[in-house]
Structure formats: structure tokens, C-alpha cells
Amino acid sequence: MHTLDATQLDQYAAKGYLVVENVLSASELAELREVTDGFAAQAGDANADRRVLDIGEHEGRPYVRRVKSPHRHHPVYDATVRHPRILDIVAGLLGDDLRLYGSKINLKLPSGTGDAIQWHQDWGFYPHTNDSLVAVGVLLDDMTEENGPLLVVPGSHLGEVYSHNQGGRFAGALDHTQIKDMLDNAVRLTAPAGSITLHHVRAVHASGPNRSTGSRRVIFQNYAAADAWPLVGCGAPGDRHLCAGGDWDAYQDLLVRGQDRQVRLAPVPVHLPLPGAKDSSSVFTTQSGADRNYFASSGAME
Ligand SMILES: O=C(O)CCC(=O)C(=O)O
């Protein structure tokens, strides 16, 4: 069953993003928040598993800024990547055969601990044989103008495919000075907790720091049409050998709806994310290799 109406489908096709409100129930939201609080509470734990938690530091205090592949670490997140309403919506955009290609939780906790993410296209990280891929943001908190909302350039998914290399290596970020005019058109995606955002894999997007006193926690669930085969690595980021030559059963388990398909090749330009970043353990370390920090520049949109 597809639940998007013609206006929503047209908006996604033209602009490359969409917000759908009231997707999670109050009890689903409460459970996700409780479990996420449990992960966030491990920030100061010397035994915290750094393969799962990306821990930053602010004024000498550690905080969890990302949970990596949460669907592999708690059943409530696994249920959320397979949530029937979310899959109905995604199927409306990508068709009925869907594979999850990754998940993460970006936690922008209050009081300046929310790390910004520089302008990029997800396609720069995860090129596939075709671009039928979408990232779903599941909002655990209201996403507001002040707390580092997702910023998207409307229509950019139909435009250029950019290299994300800087200084001869993958930096996971665009040189913002080269897309300055486009950024004048960027929009903030704001919505209440329990909503989802959807952005096309080629949409140019970013998000600024959290300037508010509340949290902005978003689970990002990335889906591909089952006929899109990853060109670099397979499965979730970090699970580099999850498909051919690796754990085939685990890869098949990522088929969240429908059936496997023959690979489809589409004429979409690709810049491979190679040579890899010096430290690719997280988007933050990867982007620290970029020459310029947009959010430190004057007049940056947040
Ligand atoms: O957390 C955000 O708002 C940005 C997410 C994003 O673009 C990413 O993690 O790649």
C-alpha cells in the first residue's frame, strides 16, 4: 500500500525532499526515546563500544553524537527500519522491493554539543548502480529552526553530482564556496517529533549546530531499491564486507520488503569516495579532512 498523494509525489520528484507528519505513535516515540537515552548515557563509560558509539567531547565532557547501525544493536531500532508505515511511504518513492543500506542516529544534544554536518550528497558516500535511494529521518524530537534542522537545496538531486574529495582524499563534504549560489535557496526542514523527513540520495544537504536548550535526535534509515547494487562496499557503513564474499545471509536480511532484483544500471555520474579518508570511523572524522568549514564561515545558514 502506498500512502503518498500526488502532491507529495510531485514535491519529492521536483524538490528531492519531503516531510510526512504523524508517522510514529506516541508509544513508539516514547520507547525509542527511552532506548536512545540508554545509549546516550554510555558517553562517559570507559568500556563503551566505539564501534557502536561515536563519542565527542565538549568542554571536557564526553557525549554521544552518533549511534552507528542502531538496527543491529537494539530490537526497537530494528523494528523501526521495518516499520510498515515508513516502508509504505518509501515504497511510494522507490517501488515495492526495498533494501536497507544503513542506519544511524545523529544526536544533537543541547548546549552546543550538536556537531554540524557539512554540505554533501549521500551519493558521494554510497554510489550505487542507480540512484533509487532515499534517506529517511525519523524525528525523536521536534526539529526546529534553532536546533540544527536538516538543510536541503531543493531540486539539487536533479543537478550535478559533486566530487567529495578535498586535498586528494575523500572528505565527505562539498567545497561550499563552489556552490554558494545554490545555498541561497536552501530550506530548513522543521517538523514535530514522530514525523519523518525523506531526502533523495543526490540532494545537497547539511545541518548546523544545535543552538537550543533541547535535544535534536534523528534516526536516519537509508533505503535502496532492491535493484540498486552498491559500488563501494555493501550494507551499512563500516560493514564493508557484508555482501559478496562476506556475510550473504546478513545482507539478505537487509531486504526489508519485497524480493531481490536483478541489478539495474542507470547513467548516473559517480565520483568514487576514493582514496578513503584518513579516519573514516565517522562522518565527523571524515569531514574533518575538508579544507573549509561552512558553519564557521560568516553568514552561514543554520
Ligand atoms: O543530522 C543531520 O541533520 C544530517 C544528517 C546527514 O546528512 C548525515 O548524517 O549524513
Side-chain angles (χ1 to χ4, degrees):
M1 189 180 75
H2 299 168
T3 57
L4 297 177
D5 63 28
T7 309
Q8 290 170 309
L9 292 171
D10 287 350
Q11 184 196 313
Y12 183 79
K15 298 190 171 169
Y17 68 87
L18 200 58
V19 176
V20 183
E21 298 193 0
N22 295 316
V23 174
L24 295 185
S25 69
S27 61
E28 288 168 337
L29 193 53
E31 193 178 13
L32 281 167
R33 284 174 168 167
E34 190 183 328
V35 171
T36 305
D37 284 346
F39 280 90
Q42 295 174 38
D45 182 345
N47 298 321
D49 187 345
R50 302 274 178 152
R51 288 165 306 175
V52 179
L53 301 180
D54 183 335
I55 299 177
E57 202 178 281
H58 180 69
E59 295 174 350
R61 295 179 59 166
Y63 65 94
V64 174
R65 56 188 177 181
R66 173 171 285 189
V67 182
K68 304 178 200 177
S69 303
H71 67 283
R72 297 176 58 208
H73 305 300
H74 198 287
V76 76
Y77 298 129
D78 189 66
T80 308
V81 298
R82 299 168 200 276
H83 193 293
R85 271 208 77 199
I86 294 178
L87 295 184
D88 286 345
I89 292 167
V90 173
L93 303 179
L94 303 184
D96 289 326
D97 302 309
L98 299 171
R99 182 174 278 115
L100 183 82
Y101 77 90
S103 78
K104 60 200 170 194
I105 309 173
N106 287 350
L107 296 97
K108 295 194 186 188
L109 301 177
S111 313
T113 58
D115 293 49
I117 295 186
Q118 306 293 324
W119 292 103
H120 65 281
Q121 294 167 306
D122 293 339
W123 188 248
F125 289 75
Y126 314 121
H128 282 56
T129 55
N130 65 65
D131 64 357
S132 291
L133 287 91
V134 67
V136 173
V138 180
L139 307 192
L140 302 190
D141 301 299
D142 294 351
M143 192 152 72
T144 68
E145 302 237 334
E146 292 76 38
N147 68 5
L150 191 60
L151 310 173
V152 185
V153 180
S156 52
H157 65 303
L158 301 173
E160 200 170 324
V161 165
Y162 295 94
S163 164
H164 290 58
N165 281 23
Q166 294 188 37
R169 283 191 169 276
F170 183 63
L174 302 183
D175 178 348
H176 67 88
T177 60
Q178 291 184 5
I179 55 166
K180 206 168 159 295
D181 293 345
M182 278 173 65
L183 298 186
D184 292 342
N185 301 323
V187 294
R188 296 178 181 86
L189 304 195
T190 58
S195 308
I196 65 169
T197 62
L198 299 110
H199 65 268
H200 189 280
V201 70
R202 286 170 57 185
V204 172
H205 64 286
S207 73
N210 181 358
R211 302 284 185 208
S212 79
T213 52
S215 297
R216 195 232 65 171
R217 295 163 298 178
V218 180
I219 309 174
F220 283 96
Q221 307 184 155
N222 302 320
Y223 298 94
D227 62 9
W229 182 259
L231 297 176
V232 183
C234 289
D239 302 336
R240 290 283 179 220
H241 305 292
L242 207 51
C243 58
D247 189 342
W248 181 249
D249 291 339
Y251 188 66
Q252 288 305 300
D253 189 45
L254 299 178
L255 196 64
V256 288
R257 178 168 286 190
Q259 56 190 15
D260 216 354
R261 288 277 166 197
Q262 254 189 336
V263 173
R264 177 168 55 92
L265 295 171
V268 185
V270 166
H271 293 280
L272 290 174
L274 298 171
K278 281 211 174 76
D279 180 353
S280 61
S281 54
S282 84
V283 68
F284 306 105
T285 56
T286 298
Q287 291 193 334
S288 67
D291 297 331
R292 294 187 178 87
N293 179 345
Y294 169 79
F295 294 100
S297 67
S298 69
M301 177 184 188
E302 289 184 357

